[in-house]
Amino acid sequence: MSIVAHGGNGTPASPGGGLELAGRTFRSRLILGTGKYPSNQVMAEALEASGTEIVTVAVRRVDLSRSTEDALLNWIDPERYLLLPNTAGATTAAEAVRIARLGRAAGLSDFVKLEVIGDERTLYPDTAALVEATRELVRDGFHVLPYTNDDPVAARRLEDAGAVCVMPLGSPIGSGQGVLNPQNLLFILESVSVPVIVDAGVGTASDAAITMELGVDGILMNTAVAQARDPVRMARAMRLAVEAGRLAWEAGRIPRRPRAEPSSPREGVLV
Amino acid sequence: MSIVAHGGNGTPASPGGGLELAGRTFRSRLILGTGKYPSNQVMAEALEASGTEIVTVAVRRVDLSRSTEDALLNWIDPERYLLLPNTAGATTAAEAVRIARLGRAAGLSDFVKLEVIGDERTLYPDTAALVEATRELVRDGFHVLPYTNDDPVAARRLEDAGAVCVMPLGSPIGSGQGVLNPQNLLFILESVSVPVIVDAGVGTASDAAITMELGVDGILMNTAVAQARDPVRMARAMRLAVEAGRLAWEAGRIPRRPRAEPSSPREGVLV
Amino acid sequence: MSIVAHGGNGTPASPGGGLELAGRTFRSRLILGTGKYPSNQVMAEALEASGTEIVTVAVRRVDLSRSTEDALLNWIDPERYLLLPNTAGATTAAEAVRIARLGRAAGLSDFVKLEVIGDERTLYPDTAALVEATRELVRDGFHVLPYTNDDPVAARRLEDAGAVCVMPLGSPIGSGQGVLNPQNLLFILESVSVPVIVDAGVGTASDAAITMELGVDGILMNTAVAQARDPVRMARAMRLAVEAGRLAWEAGRIPRRPRAEPSSPREGVLV
Amino acid sequence: MSIVAHGGNGTPASPGGGLELAGRTFRSRLILGTGKYPSNQVMAEALEASGTEIVTVAVRRVDLSRSTEDALLNWIDPERYLLLPNTAGATTAAEAVRIARLGRAAGLSDFVKLEVIGDERTLYPDTAALVEATRELVRDGFHVLPYTNDDPVAARRLEDAGAVCVMPLGSPIGSGQGVLNPQNLLFILESVSVPVIVDAGVGTASDAAITMELGVDGILMNTAVAQARDPVRMARAMRLAVEAGRLAWEAGRIPRRPRAEPSSPREGVLV
Amino acid sequence: MRLIVNGRERELDDGLDLVGLLRAHRLEPRVVVVEHNGRILRPPQMEGVDLSEGDRVEIVQLVGGG
Amino acid sequence: MRLIVNGRERELDDGLDLVGLLRAHRLEPRVVVVEHNGRILRPPQMEGVDLSEGDRVEIVQLVGGG
Amino acid sequence: MRLIVNGRERELDDGLDLVGLLRAHRLEPRVVVVEHNGRILRPPQMEGVDLSEGDRVEIVQLVGGG
Amino acid sequence: MRLIVNGRERELDDGLDLVGLLRAHRLEPRVVVVEHNGRILRPPQMEGVDLSEGDRVEIVQLVGGG
């Protein structure tokens, strides 16, 4: 499949440039989740090693039956990382809006990762509910980053609703299958003008490189790092892979050919 | 396919260790060819950006009809890079041995990249001739790095003949198709105890990451860098991708699952 | 990926059974379009060779400027084939409903293939509009067969709206890329209880076999047959491929193994 | 990858023609093995359902410790099926030649499936030994059908040695992974003029169709049928899939396009 | 009189009826369907349908499609 | 008095206020957010908020998530 | 006398011939092939073949295989 | 005298030696390797090597390659 750059042309708007969201620019194109690490200590080291500047967090009821455990916020410096509360757990637009508001109160920022799950087995989004919730949250002053499926039609509807970017999935959350349908991501890149961040599916470094080589603007991942045998080492791998994939896309890869092409000159061969 | 580490276990002998060839250790696991760059200047910058420590060169007749052009050796510091002459152009064991000896005289090292082409269309090797030439060159004191196909049986024969490593192809030389049959590379890793360096096929950064994640010891490439729209940028991308792929293999990736696994806790969801 | 049968178990409800739609049973699981054939003569022979019992047709304005050409209905015997008018051309629910009603008047049947295009480049459907149109057409007594994307959430919404089956795409209409995301089709098979018919994407016989082996109930295709170099021969190939894929799914394939397993006994080998 | 027909042109020598081996013509392009069936009864029914005309058998020492079991030959009519003894178990050219001669004495035919295994884990052949054994057996009047790997160079050496066809593997014997490297099979089709029969790797019907669509002349399989949950049904599926794949290759498939192409006319749309 | 037929404005002789319009285009009612001012008409229902100034008429048929 | 706290019915002493409830669970207002009868309260706004029979209180915090 | 039959050393009565050996194992010559000291024998050729000390005999048949 | 230089027959002045031949082509011995009648010569060994009728000379160098 031909690599289509964002906006449809073969070269990036700004080689080496950063990720722009709601007027803010981030040098790193990697967004990390904070769930499922062996410990807060390991999580903190992984965030450090990854070079990320944005981290997602969830909003949950305090468990009043247990003595208060070590709060996540003791391990993440809000001066250094933008906290991005998600609406995980919501299955309707109304639930998502409510959770987003609680997250804003806790996270002290207008950015929200919007999730509305339409199916428990796949954790795929309900795109109609996403559009509805995006409209309401935008009216309420949020910067909405919606987790969506790889449908370019849904992506355009979300952009029209005011999302600051679209975050299509590569494969099911936590499945580690990488990008199952790269062509749909290319279609989304052609369909919207806001940044495209692939959220969910990346399993290892090469998946991150493949994804960036499609010309997307960034990647959001959690399980691939948190559940690796060595999360800190994998975080470093992901940092390098995202940069490598972006550089390769900017550098312009050679075409795929069915036949061989010699690397050494045909002339002057001794016979 | 399950990722099988070199030697058959799931972790590397030495995390962060280097590439060992004939008793020498190289920090970089990336070997670059020197053919087909837009200019010697660009080539030199690309070698620099790639972090490579080994570069391949070809042996060719001087064109006596043309005034001597700018010699390649004026652009490559032998103190910094190990020169690895190849036997490109040979179609028999005897031709390969002759070219190897001329290369040794010119390159002042006993290392040789052995090529014996068995088919012009694919540039696939003649494995029987490779084994024969390896035996003779080893007798003659060479350190032989043979470019071979992805047949684990041929790989073992080459190890038995004394090769210091085996260099199976991922896909045809210059085709940029990446690794067409990863399983055969895993079989080769199980079949030999010498280092495995994938030679030929890599087209872009993700191909390099995928290849390293198989657990191979290194990658040799030329066209993917030299013919990229921006060779120096692609060289940097390849450097990062090789490191990323190696780190990811060392870090131990998450398993692929057909189903989704939430990243945020199921407990404490507001309803 | 594990092959999941329709309904979630590993065996078909009725081995050798037919395709059931709105109470009617069809022996053939192949539905053919009637567009883009070199001639009506070739089309008629291809329908014959394919063994299909259902053919799709489009509703279009008569071109009053041209002398009336040979009407399609002169070539298709409604006694033999169920005419399935589509709503191709509709980009809103209202347009689709109007076209469906005209098609019913012309086709003399309550079956309609519902299309509402959300994007011209990909011809992907607008799933929200599909659900709306399905509801209205069902109220109006139609048997609705909606062409949808491969989102299991949208598929369930369509079933809830009363569709008699869901028809997810394998890849873009006429692209001949086969099934780009088989896992999503398996998810759809788990998500709905109505028949699943893959509509769009099949390019050649093996694509049809792969699709049926997923456990889907049928396939709708047009371009792959009509635009083949020899449409009648390809129609026969598709007939056999659909049967082969269905039989293979019923027969239960062997598992994929990374390693080899000998076919001849290990005992009694001469040495 | 472009589908390349045998001999390099896009159409078959004889549409609908049969498989020619050593002057004999077979209507069926499917060769079946006789190992690993639940019973001789099921095997006989599967051979019948498959439409095959050639079946492979192994040569083994009689187990003198057990009372003689039901002989295979009581279940296979040599008038109906060509018996093709294999040399399974051989790891050297000499062993293969000896087994081939015993097989000829038992099978009463000069046809032999030549196997020389070079690696127990993969059951990949030793191509150098194959060439040596082929030469000797051809001198001895055999019609040699060698099981080889997917290396086009080795395939040409076997043709030069006098093999009546070459039988490259698609993936390891009994692994059911289908064709792992279709491009190498296309290269082999371009490299030799004898028939190409894919031996080993087919797992299900679609694998057989994919393989035939490459333009190969036939397929040899065993485990995919013998170990299916319902071997007789799978045998029928394979018969249809081989025919479907061959017909599709003869019919000339549509090209793969990244974009959509409507099946219904753009003109005359109601608006 | 002026009508909109298949999306285009047409000038037709006063008094021409629907069947007449079809006949003028050599269209057998059997193979077409007509939408007259939003009302769908099958062959039997086309008989005796008058046309008048400003009517919207759609004459459609089934064609090859996917 | 009976309240619904984090979805569960609780029996609390009359007169206990929101800050008291948090203190009873050793929760620093800094790390939690409270929704009191649908109204979201940040630490400063929690002061002097009385609780009464039937109130719905949600006490939430940010946790690790993707 | 001692012979190697199918790779195993066997003690057989002197004077036993090949056909006798097969009969002793209830093997019909029709379904087996014999290699006697490297010489391949089909049914007709097995008649009257004597066995003697140290002979190597292979008795093989066709079985199911791929 | 006639020699084969890099695969082509050449007519050279009698008495020209190897270093002279290189100099005639402005080749620094440092960057080339010579094969003279199958014998490989590095720069130091090229000194004083005479050429004569029928000699086969290959003058090669390292170039960009993969």
Side-chain angles (χ1 to χ4, degrees):
Chain A
M1 182 192 347
S2 71
I3 300 300
V4 179
H6 194 165
N9 64 67
T11 44
S14 56
L19 171 63
E20 299 215 351
L21 293 170
R24 285 181 60 168
T25 303
F26 303 88
R27 287 183 315 287
S28 169
R29 294 178 176 280
L30 177 58
I31 303 177
L32 276 195
T34 56
K36 300 162 71 176
Y37 286 85
S39 73
N40 283 333
Q41 174 69 45
V42 170
M43 177 200 72
E45 291 173 20
L47 297 185
E48 166 80 38
S50 74
T52 187
E53 296 164 282
I54 308 175
V55 298
T56 59
V57 293
V59 178
R60 288 291 181 265
R61 282 171 169 163
V62 174
D63 181 348
L64 299 173
S65 63
R66 287 185 301 156
S67 65
T68 50
E69 72 276 16
D70 187 12
L72 181 77
L73 288 190
N74 298 338
W75 291 90
I76 301 174
D77 174 4
E79 299 304 310
R80 173 159 180 193
Y81 301 106
L82 170 65
L83 286 182
L84 183 61
N86 66 33
T87 62
T91 59
T92 66
E95 288 171 12
V97 168
R98 179 187 177 201
I99 297 172
R101 287 176 175 147
L102 287 164
R104 171 161 63 178
L108 312 163
S109 121
D110 293 328
F111 285 83
V112 62
K113 173 183 168 181
L114 176 64
E115 286 186 47
V116 184
I117 299 306
D119 172 63
E120 272 314 309
R121 191 186 294 112
T122 59
L123 297 178
Y124 280 174
D126 180 326
T127 55
L130 281 178
V131 172
E132 180 188 346
T134 298
R135 276 206 205 84
E136 174 147 2
L137 289 169
V138 168
R139 263 197 305 274
D140 197 4
F142 279 90
H143 305 309
V144 181
L145 293 73
Y147 154 74
T148 183
N149 61 19
D150 63 5
D151 175 16
V153 177
R156 185 152 346 96
R157 300 278 183 273
L158 289 166
E159 175 177 34
D160 296 343
V164 300
C165 69
V166 291
M167 304 205 295
L169 57 89
S171 53
I173 292 172
S175 71
Q177 295 186 90
V179 173
L180 291 177
N181 192 339
Q183 185 168 273
N184 274 358
L185 295 183
L186 294 175
F187 285 144
I188 289 175
L189 284 165
E190 294 178 324
S191 302
V192 301
S193 53
V194 290
V196 176
I197 297 170
V198 171
D199 180 1
V202 165
T204 184
S206 55
D207 292 336
I210 289 167
T211 304
M212 293 305 297
E213 287 168 356
L214 295 174
V216 302
D217 300 279
I219 300 177
L220 191 163
M221 65 179 75
N222 186 340
T223 306
V225 171
Q227 299 276 296
R229 194 174 55 227
D230 180 343
V232 179
R233 191 177 290 263
M234 185 59 85
R236 192 152 73 251
M238 291 298 186
R239 173 191 196 142
L240 297 176
V242 168
E243 291 175 13
R246 181 69 180 185
L247 283 167
W249 176 67
E250 292 172 356
R253 64 157 292 159
I254 58 171
R256 285 182 184 77
R257 298 185 186 85
R259 303 238 169 290
E261 296 253 320
S263 312
S264 302
R266 294 185 186 278
E267 312 74 42
V269 174
L270 284 85
V271 281
Chain B
M1 181 192 350
S2 70
I3 299 301
V4 178
H6 194 166
N9 64 65
T11 44
S14 55
L19 172 63
E20 298 215 351
L21 293 170
R24 285 182 59 168
T25 303
F26 302 88
R27 286 183 316 286
S28 169
R29 295 179 175 279
L30 177 57
I31 302 177
L32 276 195
T34 57
K36 301 163 71 176
Y37 286 85
S39 73
N40 283 333
Q41 174 68 44
V42 170
M43 177 200 72
E45 290 172 21
L47 297 185
E48 167 78 39
S50 74
T52 187
E53 296 164 284
I54 308 176
V55 298
T56 60
V57 292
V59 177
R60 289 290 181 267
R61 282 170 170 164
V62 174
D63 182 348
L64 299 172
S65 63
R66 287 185 302 157
S67 65
T68 50
E69 72 276 18
D70 187 11
L72 181 76
L73 288 191
N74 298 339
W75 290 91
I76 302 174
D77 173 4
E79 300 304 309
R80 172 159 181 195
Y81 302 105
L82 170 65
L83 286 181
L84 183 60
N86 66 33
T87 62
T91 59
T92 67
E95 288 171 12
V97 169
R98 179 187 178 201
I99 296 171
R101 287 177 175 148
L102 287 164
R104 171 162 63 178
L108 313 162
S109 122
D110 294 327
F111 285 82
V112 62
K113 173 184 168 180
L114 176 64
E115 285 186 48
V116 184
I117 298 307
D119 172 63
E120 272 315 309
R121 192 186 291 111
T122 60
L123 297 178
Y124 280 174
D126 179 327
T127 56
L130 281 178
V131 173
E132 180 187 346
T134 299
R135 275 207 206 86
E136 174 147 1
L137 289 169
V138 168
R139 263 198 305 275
D140 197 4
F142 280 89
H143 305 310
V144 181
L145 293 73
Y147 154 74
T148 183
N149 61 19
D150 63 6
D151 176 15
V153 177
R156 186 155 343 98
R157 301 275 184 275
L158 289 166
E159 176 178 34
D160 295 344
V164 300
C165 69
V166 291
M167 304 205 295
L169 57 88
S171 54
I173 293 172
S175 72
Q177 295 185 91
V179 174
L180 291 177
N181 192 340
Q183 185 168 273
N184 274 357
L185 296 183
L186 294 174
F187 286 145
I188 288 175
L189 284 165
E190 294 178 325
S191 302
V192 301
S193 53
V194 291
V196 176
I197 296 170
V198 171
D199 180 1
V202 165
T204 185
S206 55
D207 292 337
I210 289 167
T211 304
M212 293 306 296
E213 287 168 355
L214 295 173
V216 302
D217 300 279
I219 300 177
L220 192 163
M221 65 179 74
N222 185 338
T223 306
V225 171
Q227 300 276 296
R229 195 176 53 227
D230 179 344
V232 179
R233 191 177 290 263
M234 185 59 85
R236 192 152 73 251
M238 290 299 186
R239 173 191 196 144
L240 297 176
V242 167
E243 291 175 22
R246 180 70 180 185
L247 283 167
W249 176 67
E250 292 172 356
R253 64 157 292 159
I254 58 171
R256 286 182 183 78
R257 299 185 186 84
R259 303 240 170 290
E261 296 253 321
S263 312
S264 303
R266 294 185 186 278
E267 310 74 40
V269 172
L270 284 84
V271 281
Chain C
M1 180 193 352
S2 72
I3 300 301
V4 179
H6 195 164
N9 64 67
T11 44
S14 55
L19 171 63
E20 297 215 352
L21 294 171
R24 285 182 58 168
T25 303
F26 303 88
R27 286 183 317 286
S28 169
R29 295 178 176 278
L30 177 57
I31 302 176
L32 277 194
T34 56
K36 300 161 72 175
Y37 285 84
S39 72
N40 283 334
Q41 174 69 44
V42 170
M43 177 200 71
E45 290 173 22
L47 297 186
E48 167 79 39
S50 75
T52 188
E53 296 163 283
I54 308 176
V55 299
T56 60
V57 292
V59 178
R60 290 292 180 263
R61 282 170 169 162
V62 174
D63 182 348
L64 299 172
S65 63
R66 288 185 301 157
S67 64
T68 49
E69 72 275 15
D70 187 12
L72 181 76
L73 288 192
N74 298 340
W75 292 90
I76 302 174
D77 173 4
E79 298 305 309
R80 173 160 180 193
Y81 302 105
L82 170 65
L83 286 181
L84 183 62
N86 67 33
T87 63
T91 59
T92 67
E95 288 170 11
V97 168
R98 178 187 178 202
I99 297 171
R101 288 176 174 145
L102 287 164
R104 172 163 61 180
L108 313 163
S109 122
D110 293 326
F111 286 82
V112 62
K113 172 183 169 181
L114 177 63
E115 285 187 47
V116 184
I117 298 306
D119 172 63
E120 272 313 311
R121 192 186 291 112
T122 59
L123 296 179
Y124 281 174
D126 180 327
T127 56
L130 281 179
V131 173
E132 181 188 345
T134 298
R135 274 204 208 87
E136 174 148 0
L137 289 169
V138 168
R139 264 196 305 274
D140 196 4
F142 280 90
H143 304 309
V144 181
L145 293 73
Y147 154 74
T148 183
N149 62 20
D150 63 5
D151 176 16
V153 177
R156 190 162 331 104
R157 301 278 184 273
L158 289 167
E159 176 177 33
D160 295 343
V164 299
C165 69
V166 292
M167 304 205 294
L169 57 88
S171 53
I173 292 172
S175 71
Q177 295 186 91
V179 174
L180 291 177
N181 192 339
Q183 184 169 271
N184 274 358
L185 295 185
L186 294 175
F187 286 145
I188 289 175
L189 283 165
E190 295 178 324
S191 302
V192 302
S193 54
V194 291
V196 176
I197 296 170
V198 172
D199 179 1
V202 165
T204 184
S206 55
D207 292 337
I210 289 167
T211 304
M212 292 307 295
E213 287 168 356
L214 295 173
V216 302
D217 301 278
I219 301 178
L220 191 163
M221 64 180 75
N222 186 338
T223 306
V225 171
Q227 299 276 297
R229 194 175 53 226
D230 180 343
V232 179
R233 190 177 291 262
M234 184 59 85
R236 193 153 73 250
M238 290 298 186
R239 173 191 196 143
L240 296 175
V242 168
E243 290 175 15
R246 181 69 181 186
L247 283 167
W249 175 67
E250 292 172 357
R253 62 158 293 157
I254 58 171
R256 286 182 184 77
R257 299 185 186 84
R259 303 239 168 289
E261 297 253 321
S263 313
S264 302
R266 294 185 187 279
E267 310 73 41
V269 173
L270 284 84
V271 281
Chain D
M1 181 191 353
S2 69
I3 299 302
V4 179
H6 194 166
N9 63 67
T11 44
S14 55
L19 171 63
E20 298 215 352
L21 293 171
R24 284 181 60 169
T25 303
F26 303 88
R27 286 183 316 286
S28 169
R29 295 178 175 279
L30 176 57
I31 302 177
L32 275 195
T34 57
K36 301 161 71 175
Y37 285 85
S39 73
N40 283 334
Q41 174 69 45
V42 170
M43 177 199 72
E45 291 173 21
L47 297 186
E48 167 79 37
S50 74
T52 187
E53 296 164 283
I54 308 176
V55 298
T56 61
V57 293
V59 177
R60 289 292 181 265
R61 282 170 170 162
V62 174
D63 182 348
L64 299 173
S65 63
R66 288 185 300 157
S67 65
T68 49
E69 73 276 17
D70 186 12
L72 182 77
L73 289 191
N74 298 340
W75 291 89
I76 302 175
D77 174 3
E79 298 305 308
R80 172 159 181 195
Y81 301 106
L82 170 66
L83 285 182
L84 182 62
N86 66 34
T87 63
T91 60
T92 67
E95 288 171 10
V97 168
R98 179 187 177 202
I99 296 171
R101 288 177 174 146
L102 286 165
R104 171 163 61 180
L108 312 162
S109 122
D110 293 327
F111 286 83
V112 61
K113 173 184 168 181
L114 177 64
E115 285 186 47
V116 184
I117 297 307
D119 172 63
E120 272 314 309
R121 192 185 294 111
T122 59
L123 296 180
Y124 280 174
D126 179 326
T127 56
L130 280 179
V131 172
E132 180 188 346
T134 299
R135 275 205 207 85
E136 174 146 2
L137 289 169
V138 168
R139 264 197 304 273
D140 197 4
F142 279 91
H143 304 309
V144 181
L145 294 72
Y147 154 75
T148 183
N149 61 20
D150 64 5
D151 175 16
V153 178
R156 190 162 333 104
R157 301 277 184 273
L158 289 166
E159 176 177 33
D160 296 342
V164 299
C165 69
V166 291
M167 304 205 295
L169 57 89
S171 53
I173 292 172
S175 71
Q177 296 184 91
V179 174
L180 291 177
N181 192 339
Q183 184 169 272
N184 274 358
L185 295 184
L186 294 175
F187 286 144
I188 289 175
L189 284 166
E190 294 177 324
S191 302
V192 301
S193 53
V194 290
V196 176
I197 296 170
V198 172
D199 179 2
V202 165
T204 185
S206 55
D207 292 336
I210 289 167
T211 304
M212 293 306 295
E213 287 168 354
L214 295 173
V216 302
D217 301 278
I219 301 178
L220 192 163
M221 64 179 74
N222 186 339
T223 306
V225 171
Q227 299 276 297
R229 194 175 54 228
D230 180 343
V232 179
R233 191 177 292 262
M234 184 59 84
R236 193 153 71 248
M238 290 298 185
R239 173 191 196 143
L240 297 176
V242 168
E243 290 175 20
R246 181 68 179 186
L247 283 167
W249 176 67
E250 292 172 356
R253 62 157 293 159
I254 57 170
R256 286 181 183 77
R257 300 184 185 84
R259 304 239 168 287
E261 297 253 320
S263 313
S264 302
R266 294 185 187 278
E267 310 73 44
V269 173
L270 284 84
V271 280
Chain E
M1 54 183 176
R2 297 193 158 292
L3 294 78
I4 308 292
V5 181
N6 283 4
R8 284 223 204 69
E9 191 169 79
R10 301 277 303 278
E11 179 67 51
L12 299 180
D13 306 346
D14 293 7
L16 183 76
D17 69 359
L18 179 55
V19 173
L21 173 61
L22 294 179
R23 197 174 295 113
H25 287 290
R26 281 194 239 64
L27 292 171
E28 325 159 45
R30 188 180 65 73
V31 299
V32 301
V33 165
V34 170
E35 185 190 56
H36 178 235
N37 295 334
R39 213 170 116 258
I40 294 175
L41 307 173
R42 293 182 182 160
Q45 308 156 320
M46 298 176 192
E47 297 299 327
V49 172
D50 296 329
L51 300 177
S52 43
E53 182 74 19
D55 280 2
R56 304 187 69 85
V57 179
E58 294 279 0
I59 308 171
V60 305
Q61 63 182 343
L62 296 183
V63 301
Chain F
M1 53 183 176
R2 296 195 157 293
L3 295 77
I4 308 292
V5 181
N6 283 4
R8 281 223 204 70
E9 190 169 80
R10 299 278 305 278
E11 180 67 51
L12 299 179
D13 304 347
D14 293 8
L16 183 76
D17 69 0
L18 178 55
V19 173
L21 174 61
L22 295 179
R23 196 174 294 114
H25 287 290
R26 282 195 239 63
L27 292 170
E28 325 158 45
R30 188 179 65 71
V31 300
V32 300
V33 165
V34 171
E35 186 191 55
H36 178 235
N37 296 336
R39 210 168 119 261
I40 293 174
L41 307 173
R42 291 182 182 158
Q45 309 155 318
M46 298 176 192
E47 298 299 328
V49 172
D50 297 329
L51 300 177
S52 41
E53 182 72 19
D55 280 1
R56 304 189 69 86
V57 180
E58 294 279 2
I59 308 171
V60 305
Q61 62 181 346
L62 296 182
V63 301
Chain G
M1 54 184 175
R2 297 195 157 293
L3 294 77
I4 308 292
V5 181
N6 283 4
R8 283 223 203 68
E9 189 170 81
R10 301 276 304 279
E11 180 66 52
L12 300 179
D13 308 345
D14 293 7
L16 183 76
D17 68 0
L18 179 56
V19 173
L21 173 61
L22 296 179
R23 195 173 297 114
H25 287 290
R26 279 193 241 63
L27 293 171
E28 325 157 45
R30 187 179 66 72
V31 299
V32 300
V33 166
V34 171
E35 184 190 58
H36 178 235
N37 295 335
R39 211 168 118 261
I40 293 174
L41 306 174
R42 291 182 183 162
Q45 308 156 320
M46 297 177 193
E47 297 299 326
V49 172
D50 296 330
L51 301 177
S52 42
E53 181 75 19
D55 279 2
R56 304 188 69 84
V57 179
E58 295 278 2
I59 308 171
V60 305
Q61 64 181 344
L62 296 182
V63 301
Chain H
M1 55 182 175
R2 296 194 157 292
L3 293 78
I4 307 292
V5 181
N6 283 4
R8 282 224 204 69
E9 190 169 80
R10 300 277 305 279
E11 179 67 52
L12 298 179
D13 307 345
D14 292 8
L16 183 75
D17 69 359
L18 178 56
V19 174
L21 173 61
L22 296 179
R23 198 174 294 113
H25 288 290
R26 279 193 241 62
L27 293 169
E28 323 158 44
R30 187 178 66 73
V31 300
V32 300
V33 164
V34 170
E35 185 190 58
H36 179 236
N37 296 334
R39 211 168 120 260
I40 294 175
L41 306 173
R42 291 182 183 160
Q45 309 156 320
M46 297 178 193
E47 297 300 326
V49 172
D50 297 328
L51 300 177
S52 41
E53 182 74 17
D55 280 2
R56 304 189 67 86
V57 179
E58 293 280 2
I59 308 171
V60 304
Q61 63 182 344
L62 296 182
V63 301

